[in-house]
Amino acid sequence: MAESPAEDAVLKYLLNHEEIPNSEEFAISQNIDHNELLNVIKSLNGFGFIEAKDIKKEFWVLTEEGDKYATTASPEVQVFEAVPVEGIRQDQLEGKLDKQVFSIGKNFALKNRWLSLSKEGGVPFYKRTVERVEDAIKAQLLAVKDGKDIQNPDALKKRTLIKRQTWKGFAIRKGANYAPQRSKPATDLTRDLLQNYEEMPTNNFVESSFWNFDTLFQPQQHPARDSHDTFFLKVPEVTQSLPENYLEHVKTIHEVGGHESIGYGYDWKREEAEKNLLRTHTTAVSSRMLYALAQGKFSPKKYFSIDRVFRNEAVDRTHLAEFHQIEGLICDRGLTLGDLMGVLNEFFQRLGMKKLRFKPAYNPYTEPSMEIFSYFDMFNKWVEVGNSGMIRPEVLRPMGMPKDVSVIAWGLSLERPTMILYGIDNIRDLFGHKVDLKMIESNPICRLGRQV
Ligand code: PHE
């Protein structure tokens, strides 16, 4: 079923017409509200049913002052009319008129040689020099009011009687996914959908700061970029090459923003981006994948990876300086936070975590961001099991990703849920040189969320 009469009208019309050249005219002809139509256009465009192109029109409108003179008369005519045939003293003339009308009108009336100014008995005195005048200014203002073109708009603009206004709308054609009617997209997650993921190539542990941080809109002063948190490489200290064109876009988004962002407003340094490190998250690889995806014609994708990451932090019973991350991404047009929550529910459910809660969080590269908590009966408490969000436009747009593409993403440690689900209380028993080899020999292959 169609979503709305406006949507129905657009899709039906495009069935036998090449184009809707102007959304506003279309709205009038179809008797629908233009604002409602604009919403429909954005949604249909987002799902590729139509291709909408911005169109802009500029035209003149009256200012408040211009509108006043359009209904009364121009100031110069008002002044002229206030001067009687026998002439008048300035103070008397002033008394008959609005202050602004007098001060503007007398100058134009004198300049037009409609009036003369002399001294009579030592005081300024105005006399008419013509019998009648025509109010050309008022005529032009009325023309503008009627939406007509006028000869010399600049003169009226200079007098702030008219101003420029822009109108925005759309020209519409069929899109790649055009259909005369849209059925709701299938957003329910199926087993097939989940299995249909591409694995990301996570085989490089060494990464540049550029991919690990900068492309992810992580400012260069961010504390995570300090050697207390991140292992930087001594040899080779810097990366050999970076994609130059993209680098410029990344620099710009950090420094001044763009794509409706205001950026961070600092001097972005290439040397900082060049520093090599041991990747702190697999999101560095996600960033590379998204960049690659954005270089071609967009098609929806699902990516996953499970691989090692490194963090320079204190080692204890539950933390190591290296561990594994599971990461997932879905890229498509029109995805929402609701889709992310649905996917996370399905995903964690299959790992054996059925009771979930989402808590607003912060990542430089996602907005909104949510931490994922799962309730564990055996601990009687909520435990954080992952982090997620919708990738920010500040990450996607500099890559060249189409504006209507959203990416939902999440990441979690492999070790933490494994320890909980398998009752391991020291991470060293699970990973690292202290692992009991017997445990490896005697255990079946570890599968998260033992299916019972
Ligand atoms: N990179 C995040 C982390 O290190 C996880 C994450 C991935 C968050 C993708 C949001 C989106 O914890």
Side-chain angles (χ1 to χ4, degrees):
M1 230 191 67
E3 298 273 298
S4 74
E7 175 168 322
D8 215 19
V10 171
L11 293 176
K12 288 273 146 56
Y13 189 89
L14 286 177
L15 189 59
N16 358 315
H17 296 83
E18 184 76 356
E19 191 186 40
I20 296 172
N22 179 320
S23 56
E24 190 174 48
E25 282 164 20
F26 183 75
I28 293 167
S29 74
Q30 301 281 323
N31 203 12
I32 45 187
D33 178 62
H34 190 230
N35 281 329
E36 188 195 332
L37 181 63
L38 292 181
N39 288 335
V40 163
I41 291 170
K42 284 176 197 154
S43 161
L44 288 173
N45 190 50
F47 286 97
F49 279 83
I50 60 168
E51 226 171 75
K53 222 174 63 210
D54 287 341
I55 45 172
K56 255 201 325 206
K57 248 190 341 209
E58 290 206 344
F59 51 94
W60 295 105
V61 289
L62 299 183
T63 61
E64 209 178 301
E65 193 187 351
D67 196 49
K68 220 164 55 192
Y69 302 147
T71 41
T72 53
S74 65
E76 48 267 50
V77 168
Q78 290 189 48
V79 170
F80 178 84
E81 303 285 356
V83 174
V85 186
E86 65 279 8
I88 190 170
R89 277 170 34 195
Q90 174 159 298
D91 55 343
Q92 287 175 333
L93 178 61
E94 226 175 325
K96 287 170 78 173
L97 292 161
D98 171 88
K99 221 170 149 196
Q100 194 192 18
V101 168
F102 171 73
S103 73
I104 300 172
K106 73 170 181 345
N107 290 337
F108 282 104
L110 290 169
K111 202 170 133 208
N112 293 349
R113 299 185 194 282
W114 294 348
L115 298 175
S116 67
L117 174 60
S118 56
K119 288 237 158 125
E120 223 136 288
V123 292
F125 195 84
Y126 287 83
K127 271 194 246 161
R128 287 187 176 191
T129 50
V130 290
E131 264 176 45
R132 282 184 314 109
V133 294
E134 263 178 37
D135 202 342
I137 297 292
K138 178 174 174 170
Q140 288 183 61
L141 292 175
L142 287 173
V144 169
K145 204 169 179 170
D146 273 355
K148 293 188 190 128
D149 283 341
I150 54 165
Q151 283 276 308
N152 186 6
D154 287 344
L156 291 185
K157 184 184 173 229
K158 216 165 138 199
R159 288 179 65 171
T160 64
L161 300 182
I162 60 173
K163 62 182 177 197
R164 212 69 175 135
Q165 205 160 71
T166 33
W167 168 89
K168 283 188 188 148
F170 290 100
I172 309 159
R173 287 168 174 275
K174 281 183 192 153
N177 304 331
Y178 173 80
Q181 217 175 50
R182 92 161 134 174
S183 46
K184 271 232 162 265
T187 42
D188 283 352
L189 210 73
T190 61
R191 193 179 168 78
D192 275 354
L193 271 176
L194 264 184
Q195 283 177 342
N196 199 7
Y197 270 76
E198 274 175 48
E199 185 168 3
M200 299 192 272
T202 45
N203 49 340
N204 286 320
F205 295 174
V206 173
E207 190 50 275
S208 62
S209 294
F210 181 74
W211 288 107
N212 194 84
F213 294 126
D214 293 286
T215 62
L216 291 165
F217 201 50
Q218 194 136 337
Q220 297 191 321
Q221 312 76 3
H222 194 283
R225 302 181 64 146
D226 196 298
S227 58
H228 294 291
D229 287 301
T230 299
F231 292 114
F232 285 92
L233 260 72
K234 287 213 175 104
V235 185
E237 200 178 346
V238 292
T239 186
Q240 285 181 349
S241 74
L242 291 171
E244 290 304 328
N245 191 23
Y246 174 41
L247 178 140
E248 280 309 311
H249 294 308
V250 171
K251 176 180 162 76
T252 305
I253 202 86
H254 280 243
E255 289 190 339
V256 295
H259 309 288
E260 294 171 50
S261 169
I262 58 167
Y264 288 119
Y266 72 97
D267 268 347
W268 186 88
K269 298 228 161 43
R270 184 195 178 99
E271 305 82 81
E272 203 53 55
E274 278 175 349
K275 289 184 184 164
N276 278 333
L277 44 75
L278 293 178
R279 70 168 174 234
T280 63
H281 52 183
T282 43
T283 314
V285 184
S286 301
S287 182
R288 284 180 177 271
M289 295 301 284
L290 290 172
Y291 172 71
L293 181 63
Q295 303 319 296
K297 185 170 157 35
F298 178 77
S299 62
K301 288 280 179 201
K302 295 195 232 66
Y303 296 125
F304 87 98
S305 65
I306 305 178
D307 215 328
R308 199 170 299 187
V309 299
F310 306 81
R311 296 197 187 161
N312 192 0
E313 52 187 11
V315 172
D316 62 24
R317 248 178 4 93
T318 53
H319 292 88
L320 289 178
E322 48 187 300
F323 60 98
H324 296 80
Q325 267 190 342
I326 308 174
E327 181 138 356
L329 309 175
I330 304 179
C331 325
D332 205 345
R333 295 196 147 91
L335 293 173
T336 65
L337 191 67
D339 294 309
L340 176 58
M341 290 163 94
V343 169
L344 292 172
N345 264 314
E346 184 74 23
F347 182 90
F348 281 93
Q349 180 129 343
R350 289 179 183 224
L351 299 187
M353 291 172 254
K354 300 208 159 53
K355 242 181 174 174
L356 292 188
R357 268 189 188 167
F358 303 110
K359 181 179 159 193
Y362 175 74
N363 299 306
Y365 39 91
T366 52
E367 180 61 36
S369 313
M370 304 185 302
E371 281 169 354
I372 304 138
F373 284 77
S374 171
Y375 191 79
F376 288 94
D377 289 324
M378 54 186 153
F379 302 133
N380 232 348
K381 66 173 185 185
W382 293 92
V383 178
E384 200 216 312
V385 289
N387 184 3
S388 68
M390 304 196 58
I391 305 287
R392 289 187 83 109
E394 284 94 338
V395 174
L396 298 178
R397 301 304 305 286
M399 293 173 167
M401 196 67 95
K403 201 173 170 181
D404 52 351
V405 169
S406 327
V407 178
I408 57 181
W410 65 101
L412 60 147
S413 115
L414 173 66
E415 281 81 4
R416 183 180 292 199
T418 308
M419 285 171 70
I420 296 172
L421 294 167
Y422 285 82
I424 298 167
D425 68 2
N426 191 331
I427 195 167
R428 295 178 184 88
D429 294 336
L430 181 65
F431 178 58
H433 65 285
K434 288 192 178 159
V435 169
D436 180 356
L437 287 178
K438 279 224 180 67
M439 189 265 286
I440 295 190
E441 280 169 9
S442 58
N443 261 300
I445 291 172
C446 171
R447 286 178 57 207
L448 280 168
R450 293 160 296 174
Q451 313 285 314
V452 280

